[in-house]
Amino acid sequence: MIVGNRDKAIRAIDTTNGKTAWKFVTRARVDSSPAIAGGRVYVGSSDGKLYVLDAATGQKRWEFDAGKAITASPAIAEGRIVIGAQDGRIYCFG
């Protein structure tokens, strides 16, 4: 299970023992629900960035800076990631 939190962190929780498998820290709270596809985690942060993390390790693979908070949760379909930001725009990648 992978979750974001208002303590600025994204965590992978091992469901067999409840312990943190990995942790990635952003610069602001994470209200966005992570979406997982193709071994990657896609999640927005109030620091204005969309992060793409390796689902197994939590290592950052890519980020996009929208400049305004990203509190929405990403949608993934047909090889594309769509997410809205507080700048009033909807971004599509893929």
Side-chain angles (χ1 to χ4, degrees), residues 1-75:
M1 169 176 36
I2 299 175
V3 297
N5 200 326
R6 288 194 163 190
D7 69 354
K8 305 178 186 177
I10 301 156
R11 289 181 178 79
I13 308 297
D14 185 330
T15 57
T16 61
N17 61 23
K19 295 185 182 204
T20 299
W22 58 255
K23 176 181 171 181
F24 178 85
V25 178
T26 71
R27 293 183 310 195
R29 67 185 191 201
V30 179
D31 292 325
S32 173
S33 296
I36 304 166
R40 299 285 190 254
V41 177
Y42 303 87
V43 62
S45 172
S46 290
D47 66 8
K49 294 184 180 181
L50 170 67
Y51 291 96
V52 180
L53 310 175
D54 183 284
T57 66
Q59 288 186 319
K60 182 173 66 173
R61 295 299 180 199
W62 185 75
E63 68 180 41
F64 170 76
D65 190 348
K68 294 285 185 178
I70 299 177
T71 57
S73 301

